[in-house]
Amino acid sequence: PATATTVVDVQAHTGCRDSEQAAPILTEEVSGSPAKADSLAPTNDTPVKSPPRTDDDAEVASEPIGEGEVPPKKKDAFDAPEVAAVVPSNLYEDYHHPISTPVRRGRFNYASIECGAKVLATNPEALEVTNILNSARDAYLLNPCEADKWVVIELCQEIGVDVIQLANFEFFSSTFRHFQVYGHRRFPDMLSPEDPDWHLIGNFSARNVRTTQTFAIPNAPAWHKYLLLRFRTHFGGSRKFYCPLSIVEVYGSTLVDELKQHLELNAHELQLVEQLDASSSSSSS
């Protein structure tokens, strides 16, 4: 069928008064289909206002900006988190960075699920929390970045903690940045960061990498059986949604290990004293 031109009266649709002059709008029926109200096209007398666009990336520019609004500032994927804008710039100056020395092969991980370590509590948003105690690289604890992220771990036994290893192996996600480690020698009264009896072990600042990061405990060893890890910031700011954690490994020495080390040291010192006495006796004779 031939294409017909239809005149639609805006006054009938908008309820304009008789005194108002509403210009008719022309639409076309395509292939005999009836014209629909949502396909009305404006006339030449009605200018079309397009929302202003910025030269930001497609993710930011895809959201329309109204008149009088300030276009959002483009953020880099490695910008500091938004919390840095409202706190002093030197807040994280005393945080310890990861060391380049790897953990000696053969050291025992006291945060392993194989030896009986447990995740006692986390923030309520955390999912698959026990994955951080496994050695599998494709399993992880998943958290939304905007959450107050923390986890309480019970080690296999009380040890003098000297090294902690953390990692996030997942690409297209955010990595932890500034975090704190607290310790407790006995079972905490409150399995949360609100417990005032937690002892601060150290403040740490991680790198934005997808490998295992090693952190040396200051003033080691720190004797604890329960650890609280609290993650303060993350890389990527508000543009990142998920903040996974792949592994947590804790290394140190037990009381028996410390006793053996002291005994060996004392035995060595005693041997040196005996040698000195023997040499002095032979020289005097």
Side-chain angles (χ1 to χ4, degrees):
T3 301
T5 302
T6 305
V7 178
V8 180
D9 190 1
V10 176
Q11 181 177 357
H13 288 276
T14 60
C16 300
R17 298 180 180 179
D18 296 336
S19 57
E20 298 176 349
Q21 296 181 355
I25 299 177
L26 299 180
T27 60
E28 290 187 353
E29 292 181 1
V30 181
S31 301
S33 300
K36 298 183 180 179
D38 56 0
S39 64
L40 299 180
T43 60
N44 296 332
D45 297 333
T46 306
V48 178
K49 295 184 179 180
S50 301
R53 300 177 66 87
T54 65
D55 56 351
D56 294 336
D57 54 14
E59 180 180 354
V60 176
S62 61
E63 300 180 0
I65 305 173
E67 295 184 0
E69 294 184 4
V70 180
K73 181 181 177 181
K74 184 178 181 180
K75 296 183 179 180
D76 186 78
F78 302 102
D79 279 350
E82 293 183 350
V83 68
V86 295
V87 297
S89 58
N90 60 349
L91 178 64
Y92 303 110
E93 284 185 354
D94 61 339
Y95 278 49
H96 300 274
H97 295 275
I99 60 176
S100 57
T101 305
V103 175
R104 186 179 71 252
R105 180 175 296 182
R107 293 200 69 182
F108 190 78
N109 172 26
Y110 290 91
S112 172
I113 198 172
E114 297 176 354
C115 71
K118 303 175 183 177
V119 174
L120 297 180
T122 63
N123 55 290
E125 298 87 352
L127 301 174
E128 306 294 338
V129 297
T130 59
N131 286 338
I132 58 176
L133 306 183
N134 294 322
S135 57
R137 295 174 63 97
D138 57 348
Y140 48 84
L141 180 154
L142 187 61
N143 254 320
C145 293
E146 62 182 7
D148 181 13
K149 301 172 288 297
W150 55 270
V151 57
V152 177
I153 300 175
E154 179 183 1
L155 304 178
C156 303
Q157 55 183 303
E158 183 179 342
I159 63 171
V161 182
D162 54 34
V163 170
I164 292 180
Q165 287 195 151
L166 303 180
N168 171 28
F169 300 126
E170 299 303 312
F171 291 94
F172 310 106
S173 66
S174 178
T175 299
F176 53 89
R177 188 170 188 178
H178 300 106
F179 67 97
Q180 298 172 303
V181 179
Y182 297 83
H184 222 303
R185 302 193 69 170
R186 59 181 178 84
F187 194 86
D189 295 332
M190 299 174 58
L191 292 175
S192 68
E194 282 71 27
D195 189 344
D197 294 332
W198 285 109
H199 171 69
L200 179 63
I201 296 178
N203 302 318
F204 303 95
S205 178
R207 297 191 177 99
N208 192 15
V209 295
R210 297 300 184 273
T211 57
T212 302
Q213 303 187 58
T214 306
F215 301 89
I217 302 299
N219 304 320
W223 293 94
H224 299 288
K225 181 176 174 61
Y226 304 91
L227 296 183
L228 164 66
L229 280 68
R230 190 166 193 181
F231 300 92
R232 296 295 189 177
T233 63
H234 60 275
F235 287 96
S238 60
R239 295 188 62 184
K240 297 294 184 179
F241 185 80
Y242 288 115
C243 289
L245 180 64
S246 299
I247 62 169
V248 174
E249 297 178 351
V250 181
Y251 298 91
S253 56
T254 63
L255 290 173
V256 176
D257 295 334
E258 289 291 316
L259 181 59
K260 288 181 178 179
Q261 184 177 359
H262 284 296
L263 290 176
E264 292 174 357
L265 181 61
N266 292 337
H268 180 67
E269 292 177 350
L270 181 59
Q271 184 179 5
L272 291 177
V273 171
E274 291 176 350
Q275 290 177 356
L276 290 175
D277 290 342
S279 61
S280 61
S281 299
S282 61
S283 60
S284 61
S285 61

